[in-house]
Amino acid sequence: MKLNEGFLSSMHEAMALLRTGGVAQATEAIQRALQRKSESGVKESAPRDDAYEFVIPAFAKTKQATARRAAVEDVDVEDRGHFSTLSYANVAGRRQYRLYVPAGAASEPLPLIVMLHGCTQDADDFAAGTQMNALAERDRFLVAYPVQPQQANPSKCWNWFKPEDQQRESGEPSLIAGITREIISSHNVDPARVYIAGMSAGGAMAAIMIAEYPELYAAAGVHSGLPARCAHNLPSALAAMKGGKQPGARHAQRGAALPPKRPLIVFHGDADATVNVANATRLVKGFDLPPDADSASSRTNGTQRRCTVSRLKSIDNIDAELWTIHGAGHAWAGGNARGSYTDPTGPDASAEMLRFFLDHPKR
């Protein structure tokens, strides 16, 4: 059923207040509009598996648009390298992706990092927030940003909680793997140094990708994400995000923790109200503390948040790092404020991921 004109007018009022009066006044206007809509007899539809957007703040898209405008104004890095828009398709569908190639990249095999954005974000927003293109220009690697369109999920979240999007050569994993292979085949990429990372829903999908494609990716980075196959539908996804129980007996095999196959670095704020920090611990399940070394340390650097870094190993001598950022919410640590969901006061997650990745080429 279409929204009536009064409701639309109220929502326009809310967006105007967001720009001029702040979040609190805009929220009150939205609540008033929803109340009038309810009283008018307009029925709300039941939640769908792709209706993931209601866990995202209503004002995120406005911040995203602001970040995108700022990114357009600051194109110094893109002037040096080449930031292009490409497309990949297979039987699962089609996805656009942005690819950053640093200047003079044709002369030597370079690493590739595939970056999966979070909900409400897109490639440009994620690139601006993580500043990964600037690192790529400085340290010589390619960066790919697959784009989840609104047609696939209303909030542009990767559908990490759907069974068909959790399996090798199926759904979204097949599209992300296809993009990765396409870049390897069309550019001078070192196949031993191909990595994948993501934020929030993108982090959850990165965990799926490293579990399902260990021959393709040498290591993974998960920021504010969740472990592979920790949910099988929207209700179980919301429970997992809140740190609740894992899937029951009927889904035990699918929801069981997968043994680590590749190195993993995890970042998570312990004040994250969107994805509970318990998921960070679950991500590194299967990695044990090394018995002959200091496994954890606390770090702080002037204006940065304090964090605890745990260095872990699996029984097969596979490395992991867990960065617990104290007092941080659902945001990319050390990110640039030009992008959404960033915390400039955190440790530099992008630089630390890059350091970890380059220390772990595929064996």
Side-chain angles (χ1 to χ4, degrees):
M1 179 180 293
K2 293 184 178 180
L3 298 178
N4 59 40
E5 293 181 1
F7 180 75
L8 285 174
S9 175
S10 297
M11 294 305 291
H12 287 311
E13 175 195 356
M15 292 302 101
L17 283 171
L18 179 61
R19 292 189 296 269
T20 60
V23 173
Q25 293 181 37
T27 301
E28 291 177 2
I30 291 171
Q31 289 172 341
R32 288 195 302 271
L34 291 172
Q35 179 64 28
R36 286 195 293 269
K37 178 184 175 185
S38 176
E39 291 171 354
S40 69
V42 177
K43 294 182 179 179
E44 300 290 340
S45 58
R48 307 184 311 275
D49 273 0
D50 60 356
Y52 190 49
E53 71 272 22
F54 68 85
V55 301
I56 305 301
F59 50 86
K61 292 181 180 178
T62 299
K63 183 178 180 183
Q64 173 190 349
T66 302
R68 199 156 40 223
R69 286 194 299 271
V72 171
E73 295 167 1
D74 185 7
V75 294
D76 180 54
V77 170
E78 283 75 7
D79 280 346
R80 282 174 279 165
H82 186 234
F83 202 22
S84 57
T85 300
L86 300 149
S87 179
Y88 173 81
N90 65 15
V91 295
R94 178 182 295 273
R95 292 293 184 274
Q96 284 191 336
Y97 63 95
R98 295 274 272 159
L99 177 64
Y100 185 80
V101 180
S107 61
E108 57 182 315
L110 296 181
L112 166 66
I113 300 179
V114 179
M115 299 285 290
L116 303 177
H117 64 74
C119 297
T120 77
Q121 295 180 318
D122 59 21
D124 291 333
D125 181 26
F126 200 38
T130 62
Q131 295 288 277
M132 200 60 82
N133 290 357
L135 289 176
E137 191 63 41
R138 186 192 74 186
D139 294 315
R140 315 293 300 152
F141 61 93
L142 281 70
V143 198
Y145 303 87
V147 177
Q148 178 75 322
Q150 203 162 24
Q151 297 93 317
N153 182 288
S155 283
K156 300 187 286 188
C157 310
W158 296 99
N159 291 306
W160 56 272
F161 50 88
K162 292 185 175 182
E164 63 269 26
D165 294 311
Q166 298 173 344
Q167 302 177 47
R168 180 185 179 88
E169 302 308 324
S170 172
E172 292 171 4
S174 73
L175 289 162
I176 296 166
I179 289 170
T180 306
R181 294 183 184 121
E182 182 171 87
I183 296 168
I184 293 172
S185 67
S186 59
H187 291 77
N188 197 2
V189 171
D190 181 354
R193 295 185 293 166
V194 178
Y195 309 97
I196 191 157
M199 161 78 183
S200 191
M205 186 57 75
I208 291 171
M209 296 302 295
I210 197 67
E212 296 296 311
Y213 295 92
E215 83 290 351
L216 187 57
Y217 303 104
V222 177
H223 201 311
S224 309
L226 301 98
R229 296 184 176 181
C230 66
H232 56 275
N233 56 19
L234 183 60
S236 61
L238 295 176
M241 289 169 64
K242 296 305 178 187
K245 62 182 181 179
Q246 297 298 287
R250 187 162 64 90
H251 300 278
Q253 185 176 2
R254 177 169 296 280
L258 300 173
K261 298 176 182 178
R262 291 292 178 199
L264 178 66
I265 183 169
V266 176
F267 290 81
H268 214 117
D270 62 9
D272 190 332
T274 302
V275 178
N276 190 279
V277 70
N279 287 287
T281 303
R282 291 167 182 163
L283 273 160
V284 296
K285 186 175 182 180
F287 294 93
D288 299 313
L289 298 180
D292 56 351
D294 292 335
S295 62
S297 62
S298 292
R299 293 190 183 186
T300 186
N301 182 16
T303 59
Q304 288 187 357
R305 294 184 185 274
R306 189 172 61 87
C307 58
T308 299
V309 185
S310 300
R311 294 174 180 82
L312 314 167
K313 283 186 182 293
S314 75
I315 194 171
D316 296 321
N317 204 36
I318 300 173
D319 292 333
E321 288 185 12
L322 172 58
W323 289 63
T324 305
I325 308 162
H326 304 299
H330 194 66
W332 188 274
N336 191 299
R338 292 192 296 113
S340 63
Y341 296 103
T342 58
D343 178 12
T345 64
D348 192 340
S350 297
E352 295 295 345
M353 278 190 185
L354 177 61
R355 183 263 313 161
F356 183 84
F357 288 163
L358 297 182
D359 283 347
H360 293 89
K362 192 160 52 185
R363 294 185 296 183

